[in-house]
Amino acid sequence: MRISAIWGLIALVIWKTEAMPPRIEGGRKQEQPRDEGTSYDSLELGSYDPNLDNYDLSNYEERAIKNDYGEPTPKTKVDTLIPSTMSVFTKRVMATMAPRTGTSVTKPSISDLLNLLTAMGVRATGRALKMDLLYPLYFGPLSDLGLPTCLVCVCLGTSVYCDDADLERIPPLPQETTYFYARFNHISRIQSEDFKGLRKLKRIDLTSNSISTIEDDALQLLPALQELIIPENKLIFLPKLPGSVVRLDAQFNNLRGSGILPESFKELKKLEFLYLSDNEMDYIPVPLPSSLRSLHLQNNHIQKIQEGTFCDAEDHKYVRRVLEDIRLDGNPINLSLTPNAYFCLPRLPIGSYI
């Protein structure tokens, strides 16, 4: 009885052992082939090489990347700055931000601006995002045209370009503006608040406008202003300028001697270039700062020069070394009549000596 039981137990153990699949290292079961009749015995793994150099990738096709909505994302070309998914309205708005070449450009509408903001990643949801906050944040303060300054003009870094933009006044400028160009417009007046608070403004170029008046406080409170370029306007009076000015260009205006306050240039200790040609001046505005290097007064109505205009009549040892460029041609004056007026200069003024 015991012997038959023992043999039965041994037979049961042997049967279970043969029925169970063999185990591999780690205790995991070996996977069985999915398809009947498939055998791994015919695979030759001896030639397997994990090096990618041995594989032919010429027929490889990149799988399409899908977005969050399960739609294939279109490929974006590397050689373009505007994504291919950008709307036509957005491209038209972007076109208005490019430098102008004389061709009229349709000004964008509010919907165009919203499309552009959306393309930039700005989401307008409910009342959380107000347009009066977006305008100054991205495109500067609103101008009289109802659009931000940086859409009417072109803003590159801290420079604002408003050339040939049909402006009738100075637009509100971003606080960080350092260089401002508004040439070839219809600006007729500069008011005190036009440049208020622009403490970093270094250059103002208003060539070829219709400016006849500049209020006194409009420029005097600009501590960083170095260049004021206002030729081809209708100025009769020069405004007060800050002591930081290095270059003043007011050629082709209507300036007269009475339009320049006495000793206007005396406190401009950094002034190097003073261009007042093609005006209606009848005398040279004195005193001239010792820093002056170039003085252009051609084509005016100057008839006389005082001996102390350039030099110190009482100190014959005084030499004005930096003033090497003086132009007085085109004036009704004979420069040879005042020979003692030039002894301190490194070069004689250009003009008539007959």
Side-chain angles (χ1 to χ4, degrees):
M1 184 69 179
R2 289 184 178 181
I3 296 177
S4 60
I6 292 174
W7 280 111
L9 181 61
I10 293 174
L12 179 62
V13 172
I14 294 175
W15 176 82
K16 287 186 177 181
T17 302
E18 291 179 350
M20 293 178 61
R23 294 180 177 271
I24 59 174
E25 294 181 4
R28 297 179 59 186
K29 295 182 179 179
Q30 184 176 1
E31 296 182 357
Q32 299 295 328
R34 296 182 180 178
D35 299 331
E36 295 182 3
T38 303
S39 175
Y40 291 113
D41 297 335
S42 60
L43 292 177
E44 297 182 2
L45 302 179
S47 60
Y48 173 77
D49 189 350
N51 192 345
L52 292 178
D53 295 337
N54 296 326
Y55 288 85
D56 183 10
L57 302 178
S58 59
N59 295 325
Y60 175 77
E61 294 183 1
E62 184 180 2
R63 295 182 179 179
I65 301 176
K66 295 184 178 181
N67 57 21
D68 296 337
Y69 300 98
E71 301 172 349
T73 302
K75 297 180 180 179
T76 302
K77 295 182 179 180
V78 179
D79 57 350
T80 179
L81 294 178
I82 303 179
S84 58
T85 56
M86 186 174 292
S87 66
V88 176
F89 297 102
T90 303
K91 293 178 181 178
R92 182 154 60 88
V93 176
M94 295 294 286
T96 64
M97 302 176 68
R100 301 176 183 272
T101 58
T103 305
S104 60
V105 180
T106 303
K107 292 181 174 60
S109 63
I110 298 299
S111 61
D112 294 340
L113 180 60
L114 285 172
N115 278 282
L116 178 58
L117 293 175
T118 302
M120 295 173 62
V122 180
R123 299 286 182 178
T125 56
R127 298 181 180 179
L129 198 55
K130 295 183 179 180
M131 293 308 298
D132 57 347
L133 297 178
L134 282 178
Y135 281 139
L137 181 62
Y138 288 96
F139 303 106
L142 284 175
S143 66
D144 291 343
L145 299 176
L147 292 172
T149 296
C150 293
L151 282 184
V152 177
C153 307
V154 176
C155 297
L156 298 176
T158 58
S159 298
V160 180
Y161 301 88
C162 298
D163 294 344
D164 195 17
D166 296 328
L167 298 178
E168 296 183 357
R169 59 162 297 171
I170 303 296
L173 300 174
Q175 291 294 311
E176 299 299 318
T177 302
T178 54
Y179 301 97
F180 174 59
Y181 301 86
R183 300 169 290 190
F184 314 110
N185 283 287
H186 311 292
I187 301 171
S188 60
R189 185 183 184 89
I190 299 179
Q191 302 180 14
S192 299
E193 62 271 15
D194 287 342
F195 299 109
K196 186 176 181 180
L198 301 180
R199 302 187 62 83
K200 298 181 180 181
L201 189 59
K202 296 181 179 180
R203 179 186 299 168
I204 300 175
D205 191 342
L206 297 169
T207 301
S208 190
N209 276 271
S210 301
I211 301 172
S212 59
T213 303
I214 301 179
E215 296 182 4
D216 284 341
D217 295 338
L219 304 174
Q220 189 179 14
L221 302 179
L222 299 177
L225 185 63
Q226 298 179 0
E227 298 181 73
L228 177 60
I229 306 173
I230 49 174
E232 301 178 25
N233 280 279
K234 300 179 180 180
L235 280 177
I236 299 177
F237 300 96
L238 276 182
K240 295 180 180 179
L241 300 174
S244 57
V245 171
V246 175
R247 178 185 176 187
L248 172 60
D249 187 346
Q251 304 178 83
F252 295 96
N253 277 275
N254 300 324
L255 292 173
R256 300 181 180 181
S258 58
I260 300 178
L261 297 176
E263 300 187 349
S264 293
F265 304 117
K266 181 179 180 180
E267 299 302 323
L268 302 183
K269 304 296 184 180
K270 298 181 179 180
L271 185 62
E272 298 182 8
F273 306 96
L274 179 57
Y275 301 139
L276 300 173
S277 64
D278 295 276
N279 279 279
E280 300 178 10
M281 299 184 61
D282 54 4
Y283 73 94
I284 299 176
V286 292
L288 298 171
S290 58
S291 58
L292 199 62
R293 299 172 55 186
S294 181
L295 175 64
H296 288 188
L297 291 168
Q298 65 267 34
N299 302 323
N300 277 280
H301 305 307
I302 300 173
Q303 300 181 14
K304 186 177 181 181
I305 295 180
Q306 303 293 334
E307 291 188 356
T309 299
F310 304 114
C311 305
D312 188 347
E314 298 180 358
D315 185 5
H316 290 275
K317 294 182 180 180
Y318 171 74
V319 179
R320 189 186 281 265
R321 299 184 183 277
V322 295
L323 185 54
E324 296 185 348
D325 180 23
I326 302 176
R327 291 197 58 178
L328 291 168
D329 48 310
N331 285 278
I333 183 176
N334 185 355
L335 298 179
S336 62
L337 298 178
T338 53
N340 293 330
Y342 322 121
F343 69 86
C344 68
L345 300 175
R347 295 182 181 179
L348 291 175
I350 297 174
S352 176
Y353 287 90
I354 298 177

